[in-house]
Amino acid sequence: NVQRDASQEAIKKSFRNLANVYHPDRHTNNPLQKLADDKFKEINEAYGVLGNFDKRKEYDQMLQNGSYNDSAATSTAANELIDDLFNRRLWKDVHEACEVAFKQYPKEPWPVAVSGYAYYQEGNFSQAISSFKTAEMKGLQDGDVFRTIGQCYIELNNYNVAIGYLEKAHKLQGNAPNTLAYLALAYDLNGNSQAYERYFNQLKHIDPNHEFVKQREQMIKVGNQYVKKDDAAVGACGICALLECIFDCC
């Protein structure tokens, strides 16, 4: 992000700007959190070289000798482009950019993972799963990815497989609220009330204001369906009135 002859002050300014953009605290619960974390590490590593006079001198010498591999810088530029397209929700462009990045870095899992997130946002859950599994085969072990695969399988009504991936996410992330919420939902939809209660109560204890907790607290289960408590009360009153009428008539 700086010229070869940039001053130390310019390098420091560029580092601060980039560190502010990609700081992990700015990307909490963001689909691109893992990529932002990786980029933040890259920025710190680069500054560790360019911000040190002796290391920068050695780096410049390596460039002159042609012994420095500039692929990391190219990868960072690709990340920035894809990140921008994703934030603008230009899904077709995201897929095209990820395909180009995948060809440039065939061993890297992140291009197909980002494409998977884009497919998920589009509602193409089957294709999202395919992309995420490709990233997994390339070595990606990420809790957010596993949770999103679980969400995709929930949307496709395949609750057993969803639970498997959500449990993987839980193992990697611990009691992350969103993972607990989807685990509770998947077990409930799969008819395992005991597991549902366990994860729901964990979520309620950790994050009582979570949207899933608030929604479920406003509802009551009638048979296999959830209805609002107010609607259930109205229905109960109607039944009571009907029974009263029957017994009075008798």
Side-chain angles (χ1 to χ4, degrees):
N1 241 30
V2 293
Q3 298 297 320
R4 288 274 302 273
D5 58 351
S7 67
Q8 290 302 112
E9 188 61 33
I11 291 172
K12 183 183 292 185
K13 183 178 179 180
S14 179
F15 165 72
R16 287 176 176 172
N17 289 338
L18 288 172
N20 182 58
V21 171
Y22 295 108
H23 195 282
D25 291 347
R26 296 175 63 90
H27 296 274
T28 304
N29 296 325
N30 185 301
L32 297 178
Q33 181 178 358
K34 179 63 167 59
L35 296 181
D37 288 344
D38 291 343
K39 194 174 296 184
F40 187 71
K41 292 176 184 176
E42 285 182 13
I43 294 166
N44 277 285
E45 289 173 2
Y47 185 66
V49 173
L50 299 180
N52 181 289
F53 178 80
D54 292 331
K55 289 183 178 180
R56 182 182 179 183
K57 186 177 179 180
E58 181 181 350
Y59 166 79
D60 288 338
Q61 187 63 46
M62 290 172 67
L63 283 179
Q64 290 178 2
N65 295 338
S67 59
Y68 174 71
N69 186 346
D70 199 35
S71 62
T74 308
S75 175
T76 298
N79 281 346
E80 290 175 354
L81 170 63
I82 294 171
D83 193 22
D84 177 63
L85 294 172
F86 195 100
N87 289 332
R88 291 160 59 193
R89 304 179 70 82
L90 300 174
W91 307 129
K92 181 179 178 182
D93 293 335
V94 170
H95 294 310
E96 290 178 355
C98 286
E99 185 176 351
V100 172
F102 178 71
K103 290 178 180 177
Q104 290 179 326
Y105 315 105
K107 295 182 180 180
E108 291 289 334
W110 65 264
V112 281
V114 174
S115 193
Y117 281 119
Y119 281 123
Y120 176 79
Q121 293 292 332
E122 291 177 287
N124 190 340
F125 305 116
S126 295
Q127 191 60 51
I129 290 170
S130 177
S131 295
F132 285 133
K133 286 188 174 181
T134 300
E136 185 182 1
M137 285 189 294
K138 290 182 176 296
L140 185 64
Q141 295 290 307
D142 182 81
D144 287 331
V145 166
F146 289 149
R147 188 190 70 229
T148 309
I149 295 175
Q151 293 170 222
C152 290
Y153 276 115
I154 288 175
E155 294 289 349
L156 297 173
N157 300 322
N158 194 335
Y159 307 127
N160 281 325
V161 180
I163 288 168
Y165 275 99
L166 290 167
E167 289 287 8
K168 279 186 178 182
H170 184 236
K171 185 176 180 180
L172 288 172
Q173 295 179 315
N175 290 332
N178 286 340
T179 299
L180 291 175
Y182 280 107
L183 269 169
L185 176 63
Y187 275 115
D188 185 36
L189 292 170
N190 205 39
N192 189 331
S193 58
Q194 186 175 0
Y196 162 74
E197 290 289 343
R198 182 173 71 254
Y199 284 114
F200 180 79
N201 288 333
Q202 287 180 24
L203 174 63
K204 186 176 178 181
H205 176 73
I206 293 170
D207 187 1
N209 293 317
H210 194 279
E211 192 61 33
F212 184 73
V213 173
K214 291 193 289 185
Q215 287 179 356
R216 284 297 168 99
E217 298 250 298
Q218 295 172 1
M219 307 181 85
I220 188 171
K221 195 166 188 179
V222 179
N224 292 323
Q225 300 292 326
Y226 282 93
V227 297
K228 290 184 177 180
K229 290 182 178 179
D230 291 344
D231 294 341
V234 170
C237 289
I239 293 172
C240 290
L242 179 62
L243 290 174
E244 184 177 352
C245 177
I246 292 173
F247 284 115
D248 283 346
C249 291
C250 292

